[in-house]
Amino acid sequence: MTDEDALVFECALDAPLEKVWRALSIPEYLERWLKPTSEKIDLAVVNSEENKSLTYRWRESGQGAIVGAEESVVTFEITPMTDGGTWFRLTHAPMALPVAANSNSSAMMMAA
């Protein structure tokens, strides 16, 4: 994964930090707005720092999933703002999975 491969979205939310944290960390709340009903997305928590950041391993499957780009890491970072709102940053980055030496990828086939 490189920084150039990541998608980053930032915005100010008109909600207190604690409310945003609950929406990100309680599975039932997160599912309401994050998971489209037509797609299968499996989420697993990788790292969590309460009221600051939350990182999920994101895996798409089923129709609409892009072959070779099904797994990624999604990080939510939240910061309190002086007006009582929350600064929200979402980073969605594909996972770079190592290729086995015997995978017969084009690079290895050229070396033979």
Side-chain angles (χ1 to χ4, degrees):
M1 173 182 81
T2 66
D3 289 341
E4 292 133 18
D5 296 331
L7 297 173
V8 179
F9 302 94
E10 294 181 297
C11 67
L13 300 175
D14 186 22
L17 183 104
E18 294 79 12
K19 187 173 184 177
V20 175
W21 178 257
R22 284 193 310 269
L24 296 174
S25 61
I26 297 174
E28 294 81 16
Y29 294 162
L30 183 65
E31 193 170 297
R32 285 184 190 172
W33 63 272
L34 187 59
K35 291 185 179 183
T37 56
S38 61
E39 293 183 26
K40 175 76 171 125
I41 300 171
D42 296 316
L43 298 173
V45 175
V46 174
N47 191 28
S48 175
E49 190 174 349
E50 189 172 351
N51 290 326
K52 291 185 181 181
S53 69
L54 186 59
T55 301
Y56 287 100
R57 184 174 187 170
W58 172 299
R59 181 172 170 84
E60 295 180 39
S61 59
Q63 254 184 344
I66 301 169
V67 176
E70 304 93 21
E71 291 195 47
S72 54
V73 175
V74 178
T75 301
F76 301 98
E77 298 169 276
I78 54 176
T79 308
M81 294 173 33
T82 58
D83 66 358
T86 302
W87 185 253
F88 176 84
R89 177 183 172 101
L90 181 151
T91 305
H92 190 151
M95 290 181 64
L97 300 175
V99 176
N102 64 348
S103 68
N104 290 331
S105 68
S106 58
M108 290 306 294
M109 292 177 72
M110 285 186 226

